[in-house]
């Protein structure tokens, strides 16, 4: 979403030369997974990515993901091109994918995401239409973003029962401050063997140590003003919770002999589930290099417990009544203890840094 200049008023400025410099640095350091969407930067993101991939001749080395659902033509409202370019229906999918393939200068998409659940298209229509584009060879794998766990579960159950292609990956908001993923989404992903591609892992750029904030102020740089909803401005200042979380991340970073709070924030989500591919965004190469440090960090149970204590998370009913999945906790469910002792086989754990 950072690649492009059309949304510079709230995303920060990045011209094409800077975008290519960032992409080159990412690719040269071994990065191969790129996430975009049909509407990002008023279609500029896909166009620039397509130009970069064509110029570098590296399409076969890139795992390319894009999304449909968002009204990707809204900036052309005066031209009357809006009405069919939004939603999860078959027509929206057809138009968006057709245009994405042209912009990205490719004949297939590695992962196509449904961007958000629109509450108007049936699960059956969505899965049947998505399976068709897979059969056509235009898409290899399917993902879903910003949708309730029950919708994804129903969709994948329908797909499995009817020989359709299921969703393989889920994308949504998750970080050490917002842990809603842990309620239903992570258990759902584990059940269906799905990967997770969380965004906002770095708190929309608001996870910054006091030292980082001071350095920004000296340079005259403000924090991003992108709010929870696209194009809705949030405050350019850190909230009380963001300050508290940033201080905790800085403390753990110091224990690992680094200064980067973002590396710790990334390491946190990659410690919680085996198949996590964080969306990091950003506009500067030095930020990318900072974030890459997370791949060397293995957080201890004590450090995770400390980070999670800063802003308590209420898992809610029924989990606060029957307990969490025993295969996650490794503990016998409390209601079962009266019947005897159970030894629990734990779920697969994330691969730790070598």
């Amino acid at each position: 979403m950072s690649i492009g200049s059309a949304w510079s008023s709230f995303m920060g400025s990045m011209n094409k030369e800077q975008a290519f410099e960032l992409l080159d640095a990412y690719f040269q350091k071994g990065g191969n997974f790129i996430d975009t969407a049909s509407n990002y930067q008023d279609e500029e993101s896909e166009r620039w990515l397509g130009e970069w991939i064509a110029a570098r001749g590296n399409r076969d080395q890139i795992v390319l993901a894009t999304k449909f659902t968002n009204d990707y033509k809204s900036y052309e409202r005066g031209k009357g091109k809006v009405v069919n370019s939004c939603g999860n229906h078959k027509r929206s999918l057809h138009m968006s994918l057709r245009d994405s393939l042209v912009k990205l200068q490719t004949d297939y998409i590695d992962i196509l995401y449904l961007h958000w659940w629109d509450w108007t298209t049936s699960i059956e229509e969505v899965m049947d239409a998505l399976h068709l584009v897979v059969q056509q060879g235009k898409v290899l794998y399917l993902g879903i973003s910003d949708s309730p766990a029950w919708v994804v579960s129903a969709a994948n159950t329908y797909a499995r029962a009817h020989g359709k292609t299921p969703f393989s990956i889920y994308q949504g908001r998750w970080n050490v401050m917002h842990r809603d993923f842990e309620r239903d989404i992570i258990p759902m992903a584990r059940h269906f063997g799905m990967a997770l591609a969380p965004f906002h892992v770095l708190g929309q750029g608001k996870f910054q140590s006091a030292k980082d904030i001071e350095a920004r102020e000296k340079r005259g740089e403000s924090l991003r003003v992108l709010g929870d909803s696209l194009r809705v401005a949030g405050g350019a200042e850190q909230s009380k919770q963001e300050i508290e979380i940033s201080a905790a991340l800085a403390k753990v970073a110091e224990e690992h002999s680094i200064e980067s709070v973002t590396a710790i924030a990334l390491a946190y989500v990659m410690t919680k589930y085996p198949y996590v591919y964080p969306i990091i965004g950003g506009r500067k190469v030095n930020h990318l290099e900072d974030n890459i440090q997370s791949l060397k960090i293995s957080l201890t149970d004590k450090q995770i417990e400390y980070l999670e204590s800063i802003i308590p998370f209420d898992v809610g009913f029924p989990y606060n009544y029957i307990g969490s999945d025993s295969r996650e906790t490794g503990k016998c469910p409390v209601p079962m203890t009266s019947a005897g002792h159970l030894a629990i086989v734990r779920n697969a754990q994330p691969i730790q840094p070598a």
Side-chain angles (χ1 to χ4, degrees):
M1 193 161 62
S2 300
I3 302 296
S5 61
W7 292 354
S8 59
S9 62
F10 62 94
M11 285 293 295
S13 179
M14 174 182 271
N15 59 37
K16 189 183 293 186
E17 182 181 358
Q18 292 168 329
F20 281 25
E21 180 186 1
L22 179 65
L23 290 165
D24 283 339
Y26 174 66
F27 185 68
Q28 288 162 9
K29 293 178 185 298
N32 68 344
F33 180 35
I34 296 178
D35 176 275
T36 186
S38 59
N39 70 304
Y40 286 168
Q41 298 280 355
D42 294 345
E43 300 187 86
E44 207 169 52
S45 175
E46 286 190 323
R47 290 196 181 98
W48 287 11
L49 285 168
E51 289 180 35
W52 176 77
I53 290 171
R56 303 300 184 263
N58 60 5
R59 178 65 185 95
D60 289 350
Q61 284 74 51
I62 297 295
V63 178
L64 188 58
T66 193
K67 311 177 189 75
F68 85 103
T69 302
N70 262 322
D71 179 5
Y72 69 104
K73 291 291 187 181
S74 60
Y75 70 101
E76 293 185 341
R77 193 172 298 279
K79 299 180 182 179
K81 296 183 178 180
V82 176
V83 67
N84 292 316
S85 62
C86 187
N88 295 328
H89 53 89
K90 190 182 296 186
R91 173 71 182 272
S92 173
L93 167 62
H94 174 80
M95 291 173 59
S96 184
L97 179 58
R98 175 199 65 192
D99 294 347
S100 288
L101 290 170
V102 173
K103 288 176 286 183
L104 291 165
Q105 300 187 42
T106 184
D107 58 356
Y108 72 99
I109 303 297
D110 290 282
I111 302 170
L112 179 67
Y113 285 96
L114 180 149
H115 210 149
W116 41 268
W117 191 245
D118 70 2
W119 300 109
T120 64
T121 311
S122 71
I123 286 172
E124 292 80 7
E125 179 178 339
V126 166
M127 301 314 288
D128 289 349
L130 285 171
H131 180 63
L132 183 59
V133 299
V134 172
Q135 285 185 311
Q136 292 169 341
K138 296 176 181 178
V139 173
L140 302 187
Y141 298 94
L142 301 177
I144 186 166
S145 172
D146 304 343
S147 300
W150 72 263
V151 168
V152 184
S153 297
N156 272 7
T157 299
Y158 171 79
R160 286 182 173 182
H162 294 83
K164 309 292 183 179
T165 308
F167 293 118
S168 300
I169 186 167
Y170 183 96
Q171 184 171 145
R173 184 184 70 176
W174 181 30
N175 58 47
V176 68
M177 193 170 81
H178 296 291
R179 295 169 52 202
D180 307 85
F181 254 45
E182 298 174 31
R183 187 173 290 114
D184 285 315
I185 291 169
I186 290 179
M188 171 206 72
R190 194 181 290 278
H191 176 75
F192 287 103
M194 298 173 69
L196 299 172
F199 59 76
H200 289 195
V201 177
L202 308 182
Q204 289 187 300
K206 298 293 182 67
F207 293 165
Q208 304 269 343
S209 68
K211 183 179 179 181
D212 291 334
I213 293 294
E214 183 180 353
R216 278 178 170 270
E217 290 176 349
K218 287 181 179 179
R219 296 193 302 267
E221 294 181 7
S222 62
L223 296 173
R224 280 187 181 178
V225 295
L226 180 64
D228 282 340
S229 297
L230 201 58
R231 296 188 182 280
V232 177
E237 304 295 327
Q238 287 176 306
S239 67
K240 181 176 180 293
Q241 287 188 331
E242 287 163 348
I243 291 172
E244 292 173 349
I245 283 291
S246 295
L249 291 168
K251 181 178 182 295
V252 174
E254 186 178 356
E255 294 172 2
H256 286 270
S257 302
I258 64 172
E259 294 187 358
S260 174
V261 299
T262 59
I264 301 300
L266 283 164
Y268 170 78
V269 297
M270 290 190 289
T271 302
K272 300 282 288 186
Y273 184 75
Y275 314 107
V276 178
Y277 305 89
I279 307 300
I280 58 174
R283 304 190 307 276
K284 298 180 179 179
V285 173
N286 65 307
H287 292 168
L288 171 65
E289 292 171 341
D290 219 22
N291 292 331
I292 288 174
Q293 293 182 84
S294 64
L295 300 175
K296 301 177 181 178
I297 294 170
S298 180
L299 298 178
T300 65
D301 291 343
K302 186 176 180 181
Q303 288 171 336
I304 294 171
E305 184 179 340
Y306 166 67
L307 290 172
E308 293 182 344
S309 71
I310 305 302
I311 299 176
F313 170 62
D314 180 11
V315 72
F317 183 86
Y319 305 106
N320 57 13
Y321 185 68
I322 61 172
S324 299
D325 185 351
S326 58
R327 291 165 297 182
E328 281 290 284
T329 65
K331 300 176 182 177
C332 179
V334 173
M336 300 283 289
T337 55
S338 62
H341 174 74
L342 294 181
I344 305 298
V345 177
R346 297 288 297 274
N347 283 325
Q349 300 299 303
I351 296 173
Q352 295 298 313

